Amino acid sequence: MMREGARVRLDYSARSLWRVDRMIEEIRREGAPYAAVESELRGFGAYAGEVIARQTGAEWWATGGEHWLRTPDGRLWDPVDEARRCFGGHGSLRLLCRDAVNGVHR
């Protein structure tokens, strides 16, 4: 729905996360209350997680209602929380992906 409404093409590339970061920033600047965008942020985080999984071979893990990624190097990543941090002005899904990919390919 966000893709069609916002006319943004999301193709599961690491590069597309730059667009997602910008969309979250725009929503934040518009002053949307967190409660109104919580499910969208979860969706953005899940999308970023899938990008990371495709780039690194990571697997999804679920615990107590939270969803994490475990990359082949054993590290855990929380893209949903990173989307929340982006909304607060303190995170980046693009940089999270970069860090995860760089860690696996060392």
Side-chain angles (χ1 to χ4, degrees):
M1 183 160 66
M2 281 300 291
R3 185 174 89 175
E4 290 177 18
R7 298 198 189 281
V8 173
R9 181 168 170 78
L10 299 178
D11 60 4
Y12 294 98
S13 67
R15 186 176 234 168
S16 70
L17 293 177
W18 180 82
R19 292 182 203 105
V20 175
D21 279 347
R22 288 198 54 198
M23 284 190 292
I24 294 171
E25 174 65 21
E26 289 172 18
I27 292 168
R28 184 173 69 78
R29 272 198 235 136
E30 291 171 1
Y34 176 79
V37 296
E38 183 177 7
S39 65
E40 285 81 6
L41 293 173
R42 203 171 326 122
F44 287 141
Y47 171 78
E50 189 58 28
V51 171
I52 293 168
R54 292 178 184 201
Q55 296 283 318
T56 66
E59 294 181 349
W60 283 101
W61 289 65
T63 272
E66 296 293 318
H67 294 83
W68 301 75
L69 284 169
R70 181 180 296 265
T71 49
D73 62 359
R75 292 188 299 167
L76 292 173
W77 304 87
D78 188 347
V80 174
D81 186 58
E82 191 67 15
R84 292 179 193 124
R85 288 174 37 78
C86 288
F87 183 70
H90 306 290
S92 169
L93 294 170
R94 179 183 58 83
L95 295 178
L96 182 77
C97 180
R98 182 199 66 189
D99 292 347
V101 168
N102 286 343
V104 169
H105 293 130
R106 284 189 184 166

